Structure formats: structure tokens, C-alpha cells
Amino acid sequence: MTDELLVVRAQLGERAALAELLARWQVPVWTYVRRMLDADRADDVSQEIWLAVVRGLPRLRDPERFAPWLFTIARRSVTDRLRGEYAQAEERSGAADAAVEDPAEAMVDRAALVSVLSDLPVLEREILVLFYLEDLPVEECAYICRIPAGTVKSRLNRARRLLRDHLEEKGYRP
């Protein structure tokens, strides 16, 4: 069954359709959030996202646009969490430097990539995650981030350059 049909059925009140949508998209949403935050915060933010989805699903006008709508909610939730944490860190220390630390991953290459991704600025990290790790096209990245497609392309270019520089800095050569 397609996402579009599941959305329509869920909008009509069919709980099984909503449960199937949740089951189908739970891992991709959590993975996106995890790539932007650490695991503990990813769990909390994912729950917030699914609450927003359940509340907002009846108002979704284009069921075929479910995935971009879902990732827009996810992006907004991650941004809100980061914004709140940055504000709290600034209040506590007087500085806006709140680094996100990732726990060590089982595989060394994955750990290095996760570490390098967490070193990138949030906007560039977000574009890399959406485009490469979530396999979304430029147009959907633009829709989710509420920016023009040209800006997505320029952020991708900058993000690739920053990623390459960070990897070379850590001793990885292409």
C-alpha cells in the first residue's frame, strides 16, 4: 500500500493505516534526527515529531507529499531543540558554543564520519543528511528547509568542501 493511500485512510480515522505509516517511517525519521542530535535527544525529539504528525495529519492537504511534510516537521523539531539548547548554554556560560558530542560507534569509519558530520555547521550537516543519507532530491530538500533549490545546491557544495577538509584534517585521504 502506498504512503498516499495510508495517509488518506489515516485521515479517515483508520488506526491500522496510521500504525502502518508509523512503522514504515519510524526508523527513517529517527535516523535523520539521530544524525542531527545524539541518541538520547533523538528519542525525545522523535516522540515529539510523531505527536505533531498525529495532530497535524488531518490537515495535510496533499497526501502524496507526506514524506517532505514529515521531514519538515522533523527539521523544525530538531531546530527547535537545538535553538533551545543553544539559548540555555548561552545563559549558563555566557557563550553560544554548545557542541554536540556523538558516542563512539562500533565501526571506526562510521565513528569518524559521524564525528566529522557533528563538526559541520548545522545547516550544512542538515543538507548532507537529507540529500545523501535520506536520499531526498534537491527539490524536496528545498521544500523541507524552506529555501530555494539553488541555496540547497550551494549548501551542498559548501558542505562537501567542509566535509572533505575535515576528513583530510583527521588523516583520511579520498
Side-chain angles (χ1 to χ4, degrees):
M1 189 173 314
T2 66
D3 287 344
E4 183 178 356
L5 184 56
L6 286 172
V7 168
V8 170
R9 291 172 70 178
Q11 287 175 326
L12 293 173
E14 190 177 314
R15 288 178 183 234
L18 182 61
E20 189 171 336
L21 268 177
L22 176 74
R24 187 177 290 184
W25 286 97
Q26 186 173 14
V27 171
V29 167
W30 187 88
T31 303
Y32 166 75
V33 174
R34 171 61 183 92
R35 288 175 174 146
M36 299 301 291
L37 305 170
D38 62 48
D40 292 335
R41 294 184 299 170
D43 289 339
D44 292 342
V45 172
S46 292
Q47 287 179 1
E48 294 169 14
I49 292 166
W50 289 110
L51 282 173
V53 166
V54 169
R55 289 182 185 136
L57 196 60
R59 294 185 306 277
L60 179 61
R61 292 186 183 155
D62 280 333
E64 68 275 0
R65 304 279 302 156
F66 177 75
W69 177 76
L70 174 61
F71 279 101
T72 299
I73 291 171
R75 177 184 186 264
R76 194 174 311 123
S77 296
V78 167
T79 302
D80 290 348
R81 175 60 64 99
L82 289 173
R83 196 175 289 136
E85 288 174 2
Y86 290 152
Q88 286 177 352
E90 192 172 275
E91 287 174 10
R92 275 182 295 199
S93 68
D97 185 30
V100 176
E101 294 181 26
D102 284 322
E105 297 289 337
M107 296 169 43
V108 175
D109 288 340
R110 180 168 168 75
L113 181 60
V114 168
S115 172
V116 171
L117 276 175
S118 70
D119 290 342
L120 295 178
V122 173
L123 296 175
E124 284 73 13
R125 180 179 354 145
E126 175 182 52
I127 291 297
L128 283 175
V129 168
L130 289 171
F131 187 77
Y132 287 108
L133 302 177
E134 297 302 330
D135 292 322
L136 294 174
V138 169
E139 296 75 25
E140 288 192 5
C141 292
Y143 177 82
I144 291 166
C145 296
R146 295 184 178 184
I147 57 176
T151 304
V152 169
K153 291 175 185 176
S154 66
R155 281 189 192 167
L156 273 171
N157 186 30
R158 182 171 190 275
R160 283 188 212 104
R161 193 170 3 94
L162 287 171
L163 184 62
R164 186 180 323 110
D165 293 346
H166 278 64
L167 285 170
E168 287 175 359
E169 216 173 83
K170 294 191 184 229
Y172 291 91
R173 302 284 178 220

